[in-house]
Each structure stands twice: as structure tokens, then as C-alpha cells.
Amino acid sequence: MPGCENNTCEYNQTLNRCVKTATLTSSCKAKDLKDNPRPPETPKIIRINNNPDGDPVEGYCALFNDEPRWHISWQISCPAGWVQGSGDFCIDKYSINGPCSICGNNQTCKMNGDRGVCAVGNAVCSTGSTCYPDNQCKKLDTGTCECCCRIDNAQEDCCDGLLCDGSCGSGPRLGFCSGCVVGEDQEVNDAKCNCAKSQGKICDASVDPRGRCVDCESITDPAECSKHGACCVDGRTSANKCVGLAESQEIVTETIGGEPVNFCGFYKCTGVYPNSCDDQIYKIGAYQTRDTCDLSCVEAPIPCSNSGSCNNSSPACAEGFICSDTSCTCVRESEGEAGQSCAVSADDPSCLLIGGCRTGYNCLDDTPNDPVCRCCCKPPTGNEPDSCKDINPNLSCLANQGLCSGGERGLCCGCSKDSECGDQLTVGCGTTGARCCSARPTVEQHLPAIGATNVCRNAAIEAVFDQKMDIASFSEDRNVQIIGDYGNDSCPSGYP
């Protein structure tokens, strides 16, 4: 921005402007300027017309003898320590109030509390929004969040036997599910608010003696929260917020200050290979139920320690895995390209659950047609993301391509050049059909073997590849070279 070169400005949230950093300590205007009387009197803020009850006078910075000095508009005798200017103004000639700054071209002096700063340009964000450290203008949400029922649809929104009335939220004809008080037993009253239609509620009779069903989040005291079976204290943050207990979620009870506090129970992964759900229940974890934990942990990353940059208390990675410097998680030593095998090991043909394949691919099989686990993309259905887009936006996952047979796996297709497929040394773009990315073939066996001795000079040379090859794609002048060392003898006819 012109006027802010060399990082001389910073954003001021109050003004919603970029301001000159120097004017934060050396201002362009001020409403706290003081006089300088003789002792024993003490300096006091200069007020309009010297009225002790008047507003402070607003001073401004201007040149005096080619130096910036504080000025005030004044029609009577100047305050003590100030000198009269050539007009109806006084000058802080001896800088009683410290230095001041004069705003430059395209800058405006804006009051920021009792002091003025030099603002550059126009407002940064639209009215009501603020510029955050991520350089995004955001508007603070000042609204409230209440779970309301529809007065005209009480049977759909409230548990059986309750009415929807009162006033809730800001929309038309919204109310609270009411009438939950059926006796003095709070647990019984709370139960009236919780059913298949509504969870995480308590019966509150503080406003309406009939009782209103309100969210557990309305409780601010952890001990009070723990008195309601539908609620628990979320101990994953220091706020200890009261929240609704999820279906099938356990609790972890601790005594704090002589009071039992029911924390929400969570499960977490063991974090060792093969990853699984820990049997213990914690107040700080990732999964609310055991079923969710069991399903998620098999694919969850395993933390590891590596050269002091990660958590040193974490275990080392299992055989075949290494600790990633960037993610501090265990990853496969080598990741398979499109179509390549990704079984756990030669002795275990099952598919790897984590790692094993390059970005954009998962380890999948096509039993019974092709029980071999291969690195393939999974064709998206509905609103599922297409993992091939993680490699290149031009690619799409097409089912039943190449070695990735079947309707549930495929290859990333639509490439026009090798560089769109990833690492050009290990993967390339197909030149026919849907133009799919696939692993470059590698030679698994040589005949004669590399380093073999006593081989006839006219022996047939064979190369066995790890995938089916198109013979027509081989060309002596493009990609096939036969090199022989004949010592001092002449090369055979046709070979330079």
C-alpha cells in the first residue's frame, strides 16, 4: 500500500485502518495535553476555556521553527508553559507533552482514544468486519444459539406430553418445549425433555414453573452439570463446558473440591502398530463411543519420535515403516504407485490399512476377481471428493482401468503429460484410451542375469517386467539400447 513501504504500518482494529507505526508513540492529535505551572502547582489537562468541568481541548501537531510541536486553538491567555502563536493558537514550544508527528501525503490523522494516529488509505474491511492475522476480513457473530421448537409443530419437535410455547430465538413463532415439571425429582423431570427427537436437555423451572427444556450448555457450574444424567463436563479444554451426553457415551467421574464431577468419557487409539482402540475410557480423547473408535483407529496415523523433532515418548515405528519428519507419524518406507501391489508383506497378502500408496491412492482389492491388493483410487459416489484431484486438478478417478479392475477401484485418468501424474521417475501418463496414470514398469528379471559369466555372445537377451508390456511401444531408436563390451574386437554389424 502506498505510504506503508518497508513495513512502516500496522493494522489498527479500532479504526479498521492501516496506521503509521511511528505515530503510535508520537501522535498527530491529542486530548490529554497538559500545562506546566510553577511549583507547588501540578500539571493538569488543558480544558476548553480553562473550565475545570469542560472537555479536554484537542491539540494538533504542526511545524514551529521547522520542528513539529503541539498546537492548540486558544483565544485567551495561553496555559502555563505554552507560548502564544501568531494567531488564536498556543504552542508547546518546549515539548512539555513530548514529541508529535505530522501526517504525510495521502494520510489522515484519526483519533484513537485520547491520541491521534496517521491513517493510510481507506478502511481495510467493510463495516462491522475486522481484519484477522490470517489477512481475512471477518464479521464477529454476536448472535445467540438456542435450540427452539416450532409452536405450530410441537409434536414433531418436542417429546411426548410437552407443549411448544413462549418466545425463543429471533424467528417467528418459535418457543420452548414446556411442561416438563412432573414432580420434585429432577432426574424424572429431565427425562421428560430427552427422547428420540431431543437429546442433551434439562428441565429448567427457574423462569417458568411448568419447566422449560433447555440445553445442557446453559449450565455454567461443572458440579451442577454433573447432577443431570443427560449432561457431562467436556474436560478436553480448560473451560470445562457442560454439554449433552451423546448416546452410548460413558462418563469419567472425578472428585474436585469435594464435589463429584462427571466428565464426558472418550476413547482413543493405542498409537502402536497395528493401531486399535484402547480399552480404557479417558476424559480427554477423540471418540465418543467404542464403536466409532474401533472403526476409526485402524486407519488413524501412528505418532512416532524422530531425531528430537517429535514426541520422544512415542514409540518407534514398526518394521517396514519410518517416522515422517513432516507429520511425525509412521509411514511406509516406500509408497506404491498406481496399480502396484500393496499387501502387508509377502507372507501376509491382506491390504495395508494405512500408508503403502502414494497420495491419491488407497490399498484396495477386487475379490474374487483380483484378490491382489493394489494402489488404486476409489471412484467417488455422491458428494464424495475425488482423491485424484489431490495429485492434479485435471485428473479424475475412473473405475476398472488397467490393473485396478472392478467397479470399486480405478486409476487417475485424463492426463496429458507425465508431470501431471506425480513423480515422473516412477509414474507416467498413458498414451491410449482414457490416458490414465500408472506406475512405470520395472524389470524384475534379466536373462542372462546381471553379472553372469561364460555367456554365449549370441545368446538371446530377455527382460521380464512386472507388468504386461506393449511390444509395439519398444523402439531401437527411442527406448531400447543394447550395450556390449567386445574388448579389442570389432562391434557386430549394425552396432556403432
Side-chain angles (χ1 to χ4, degrees), residues 410-422:
L411 291 175
C412 296
C413 304
C415 59
S416 60
K417 51 188 176 182
D418 291 342
S419 60
E420 293 179 344
C421 294

Side-chain angles (χ1 to χ4, degrees), residues 242-265:
C242 185
V243 298
L245 187 69
E247 185 177 359
S248 302
Q249 188 174 13
E250 305 286 347
I251 60 171
V252 177
T253 303
E254 294 183 4
T255 301
I256 300 178
E259 294 280 352
V261 176
N262 291 337
F263 288 97
C264 308

Side-chain angles (χ1 to χ4, degrees), residues 112-152:
N112 183 37
D114 289 333
R115 290 275 170 162
V117 292
C118 294
V120 181
N122 299 318
V124 175
C125 298
S126 59
T127 303
S129 298
T130 300
C131 184
Y132 282 76
D134 59 359
N135 293 324
Q136 298 290 322
C137 288
K138 302 177 183 179
K139 188 172 184 178
L140 181 64
D141 184 4
T142 57
T144 59
C145 181
E146 293 180 294
C147 288
C148 308
C149 57
R150 296 166 295 174
I151 293 177
D152 299 325

Side-chain angles (χ1 to χ4, degrees), residues 205-277:
S206 62
V207 176
D208 185 342
R210 299 174 305 153
R212 287 179 173 179
C213 296
V214 297
D215 295 329
C216 292
E217 283 80 353
S218 63
I219 304 175
T220 57
D221 179 22
E224 176 63 29
C225 176
S226 301
K227 295 176 182 178
H228 300 269
C231 309
C232 60
V233 178
D234 190 346
R236 293 178 295 180
T237 67
S238 59
N240 284 334
K241 185 178 179 181
C242 185
V243 298
L245 187 69
E247 185 177 359
S248 302
Q249 188 174 13
E250 305 286 347
I251 60 171
V252 177
T253 303
E254 294 183 4
T255 301
I256 300 178
E259 294 280 352
V261 176
N262 291 337
F263 288 97
C264 308
F266 294 93
Y267 291 92
K268 58 184 180 181
C269 305
T270 58
V272 295
Y273 186 83
N275 213 354
S276 61
C277 185

Side-chain angles (χ1 to χ4, degrees), residues 313-373:
S313 64
S314 297
C317 296
E319 184 179 354
F321 292 81
I322 59 173
C323 191
S324 168
D325 287 323
T326 55
S327 66
C328 289
T329 58
C330 295
V331 297
R332 296 291 297 186
E333 287 187 278
S334 59
E335 294 180 314
E337 298 290 357
Q340 288 184 332
S341 173
C342 53
V344 172
S345 66
D347 299 325
D348 184 355
S350 58
C351 296
L352 286 165
L353 296 175
I354 55 173
C357 297
R358 292 280 188 186
T359 298
Y361 300 98
N362 294 313
C363 193
L364 305 170
D365 64 9
D366 183 32
T367 304
N369 300 319
D370 179 18
V372 177
C373 298

Side-chain angles (χ1 to χ4, degrees), residues 30-67:
K31 285 187 176 181
D32 57 357
L33 299 177
K34 297 181 179 181
D35 59 10
N36 188 27
R38 294 179 180 276
E41 293 186 47
T42 58
K44 58 183 180 297
I45 292 178
I46 303 170
R47 300 184 181 276
I48 296 175
N49 296 326
N50 275 339
N51 183 352
D53 299 322
D55 294 330
V57 67
E58 182 175 284
Y60 59 95
C61 191
L63 291 177
F64 174 73
N65 291 338
D66 296 327
E67 295 290 338

